[in-house]
């Protein structure tokens, strides 16, 4: 209703400016019904304030890229391992000439210059005043507060684009996205450990324990520069070199001289003041450098110079696509709740991760620490899947614990997406699990959604060095770097044997050979939303996926 009042106003402004934009028929492109829970309207925003918006353009042939990505990632396909080059991917995702000219014409009519911020030109960025943005999108931006954090943002409940452009524009962001600020996964679980040397892997898990539990070799990798693990860092969580040195000199003395390199995006940095070390960043670096011995690790620190946290996620992808960095595995221990993202944005992110899969990069995300309630324990009336692990092109890593045979870590995020349908590679597994629970939790989760996690690894009592001393942390934040390290070590052996790296993992993991490399977890559950959550069972389950990896069986599964 507000929009029908605003639309004529925009037309009047246009005439006053001698600007023809008001003549185009507009239609609402995206909207939310009301201010989402957890946010409050906080008043008007100054019309002169500058804002930055991103316009995601329709991609030329995303279905074609999807087919190619599956073909090169499926061991049963003749094209397996024949990853696309960085030059081939933009052919699929670049917008059509018609899209580019239609959108450019609209922007130039409005005196707006856009810059492309993705290698394929499918993502444009514009900076303009709020009054101009209001007129362009026939809307009224205002200020909203995220109540719990006090963080404010400029958003709107609905926006329009010209009818003639609806098929050319996927979404404009940030507009109707009300995303709570990202939170690191393991922070609150940290507790001091008095002992730098493990007494028992039941209580304190360190690299030696993981080597024993999952068969991880201590021999150093040899193929170096062409096989790099990227560790995504957000929220000014800095990875500290002194902490890494302390960790290695106590727990991986054979790797004592190993370091990591730094890449910064969006004005990111990596302050080395010991008191500014981040728990998450230290954990992620220690359990990549300290597990994947000899594999180069790059800490990718994303700063604040992006419009919001979601943009930082997409910027990492575009930066990796733009420049060859040797990254073959990307691990991220931060997550959103799926329900907090507009579906347009979730799909846009997923299509970006698909591009990484197409060029042969394995993308791993921690599945969340709130069991069936999502990223963190929260009150909920229906189960909450996490994003972007809900994207079928990502390998979602859940949590396990205890001495072998391991059980599910109760924090392990898991469930079923409401945005992405069950992909073919796990269709039989998901159907079998859902059949096994009958109508338990009926209505609390989506029976046709992508199931997550895909696999699991240690997620409790993990020993890290942080701010100069040793601590125990828990969370699927531990599991993702551990599994990423194992994949990088498999890649190292593949490269040495003259074979392609693994790339997008899931079709391989769920293949008969791939699933054979996992120890099924059949005990434990992931409570949340006032329920006991799902139970781990024989076969895939939405608590621990296919189970925990075994390195030698992974080698056998890839034919080494
Ligand atoms: C670490 O570097 C020092 C100095 O170069 C060297 O003496 C030592 O052998 C190295 N240690 C390992 C385990 O590589
Ligand atoms: C359940 O998932 C399907 C497949 O992704 C989707 O089409 C449907 O909208 C979802 N249902 C709900 C209630 O979100």
């Amino acid at each position: 209703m507000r929009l029908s009042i605003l639309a004529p106003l925009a037309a009047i402004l246009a005439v006053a400016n001698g600007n023809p934009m008001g003549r185009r028929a507009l239609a609402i492109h995206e909207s939310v019904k009301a201010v989402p829970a957890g946010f409050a309207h906080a008043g008007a925003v100054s019309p002169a304030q500058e804002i930055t918006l991103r316009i995601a353009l329709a991609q030329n042939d995303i279905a074609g890229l999807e087919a190619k990505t599956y073909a090169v990632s499926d061991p049963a396909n003749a094209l397996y391992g024949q990853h696309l080059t960085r030059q081939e991917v933009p052919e699929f995702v670049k917008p059509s000439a018609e899209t580019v000219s239609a959108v450019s014409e609209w922007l130039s009519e409005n005196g707006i210059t856009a810059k492309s911020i993705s290698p394929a030109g499918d993502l444009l960025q514009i900076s303009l005043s709020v009054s101009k943005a209001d007129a362009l999108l026939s809307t009224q931006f205002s200020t909203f507060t995220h109540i719990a954090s006090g963080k404010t943002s400029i958003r709107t409940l609905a926006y329009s684009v010209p009818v003639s452009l609806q098929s050319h524009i996927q979404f404009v962001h940030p507009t109707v996205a009300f995303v709570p600020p990202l939170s690191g996964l393991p922070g609150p679980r940290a507790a001091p450990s008095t002992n730098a040397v493990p007494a028992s892997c039941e209580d304190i898990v360190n690299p030696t324990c993981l080597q024993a539990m999952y068969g991880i070799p201590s021999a150093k990798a040899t193929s170096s520069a062409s096989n790099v693990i990227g560790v995504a860092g957000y929220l000014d969580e800095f990875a500290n070199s002194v902490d890494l040195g302390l960790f290695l000199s106590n727990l991986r003395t054979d790797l004592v001289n190993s370091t990591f390199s730094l890449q910064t995006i969006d004005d990111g940095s990596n302050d080395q003041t010991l008191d500014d070390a981040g728990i998450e960043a230290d954990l992620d670096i220690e359990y990549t450098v300290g597990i994947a011995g000899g594999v180069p690790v790059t800490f990718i620190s994303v700063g604040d110079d992006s419009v919001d946290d979601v943009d930082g996620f997409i910027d990492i992808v575009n930066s990796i696509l733009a420049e060859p960095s040797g990254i073959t595995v990307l691990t991220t221990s931060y997550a959103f709740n799926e329900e907090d993202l507009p579906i347009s944005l979730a799909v846009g992110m997923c299509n970006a991760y698909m591009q990484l899969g197409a060029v042969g990069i394995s993308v791993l995300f921690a599945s969340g620490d709130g069991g069936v309630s999502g990223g963190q324990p929260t009150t909920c009336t229906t189960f909450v899947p996490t994003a972007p692990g809900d994207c079928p092109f990502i390998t979602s890593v859940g949590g396990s614990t205890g001495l072998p045979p391991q059980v599910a870590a109760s924090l392990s995020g898991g469930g079923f997406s409401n945005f992405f349908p069950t992909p073919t590679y796990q269709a039989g597994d998901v159907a079998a699990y859902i059949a096994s629970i009958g109508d338990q939790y009926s209505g609390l989760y989506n029976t046709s959604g992508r199931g997550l996690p895909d696999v699991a690894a240690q997620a409790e009592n993990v020993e890290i060095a942080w701010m100069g001393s040793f601590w125990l942390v828990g969370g699927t934040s531990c599991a993702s770097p551990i599994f990423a390290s194992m994949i990088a070590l498999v890649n190292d052996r593949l490269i040495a044997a003259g074979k392609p790296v693994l790339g997008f993992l899931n079709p391989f993991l769920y293949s008969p050979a791939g699933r054979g490399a996992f120890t099924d977890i059949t005990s434990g559950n992931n409570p949340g939303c006032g329920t006991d959550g799902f139970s781990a069972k024989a076969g895939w389950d939405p608590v621990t996926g296919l189970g925990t990896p075994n390195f030698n069986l992974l080698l056998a599964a890839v034919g080494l």
Side-chain angles (χ1 to χ4, degrees), residues 143-156:
T143 307
F144 295 85
T145 306
H146 176 249
I147 296 161
S149 66
K151 204 174 162 189
T152 62
S153 51
I154 297 170
R155 296 288 187 274
T156 179

Side-chain angles (χ1 to χ4, degrees), residues 253-257:
T253 48
D254 56 323
L255 299 178
V256 71
N257 295 331

Side-chain angles (χ1 to χ4, degrees), residues 258-293:
S258 296
T259 56
F260 60 93
S261 57
L262 176 68
Q263 186 190 339
T264 60
I265 293 177
D266 296 335
D267 207 21
S269 59
N270 196 31
D271 187 334
Q272 289 301 295
T273 310
L274 196 56
D275 283 353
D276 285 338
I279 295 182
E280 179 68 75
D282 275 3
L283 161 66
D284 298 352
I285 284 297
E286 289 165 15
Y287 280 83
T288 44
V289 176
I291 297 294

Side-chain angles (χ1 to χ4, degrees), residues 338 343 417-422 445-450:
E338 184 185 72
I343 189 167
S417 171
N418 288 309
F419 288 175
F420 297 97
T422 317
Y445 73 98
N446 191 323
T447 55
S448 46
R450 146 137 169 86

Side-chain angles (χ1 to χ4, degrees), residues 365-506:
F365 271 80
S367 74
D369 293 351
V372 290
S373 75
Q376 297 288 344
T378 42
T379 53
C380 31
T381 51
T382 55
F383 293 169
V384 183
T386 54
D390 57 347
C391 164
F393 295 97
I394 284 172
T395 300
S396 172
V397 187
S400 60
T401 190
L403 294 174
Q406 289 207 300
V407 301
S410 59
L411 55 80
S412 186
F416 299 88
S417 171
N418 288 309
F419 288 175
F420 297 97
T422 317
T424 308
Y425 58 72
Q426 61 166 200
D429 295 282
V430 165
Y433 185 84
I434 290 175
S436 79
I437 65 169
D439 59 8
Q440 186 191 24
Y441 302 142
S442 171
L444 295 186
Y445 73 98
N446 191 323
T447 55
S448 46
R450 146 137 169 86
L452 55 157
D454 298 297
V455 297
Q458 183 69 32
E460 286 183 2
N461 302 327
V462 172
E463 181 172 26
I464 66 164
W466 176 56
M467 296 213 291
S469 54
F470 284 87
W471 302 71
L472 295 181
V473 297
T476 52
S477 285
C478 308
S480 188
I482 292 167
F483 186 56
S485 296
M486 293 179 70
I487 293 302
L489 288 172
V490 173
N491 281 343
D492 178 66
R493 306 288 179 99
L494 285 168
I495 293 169
K499 296 184 172 189
V501 296
L502 289 169
F504 165 41
L505 294 170
N506 298 359

Side-chain angles (χ1 to χ4, degrees), residues 164-231:
S164 58
L165 294 183
Q166 284 206 295
S167 64
H168 297 297
I169 293 176
Q170 293 186 66
F171 57 85
V172 182
H173 175 76
T175 50
V176 297
F178 290 81
V179 184
L182 200 55
S183 60
L185 293 176
R189 294 176 191 276
S193 149
T194 49
N195 197 347
V197 180
S200 142
C201 295
E202 182 151 26
D203 301 318
I204 301 177
V205 176
N206 59 30
T208 308
C209 296
L210 296 170
Q211 288 172 337
M213 289 195 303
Y214 303 146
I216 304 171
S218 56
K220 286 177 78 170
T222 55
S223 41
S224 67
S226 56
N227 181 37
V228 177
I229 301 177
V231 172

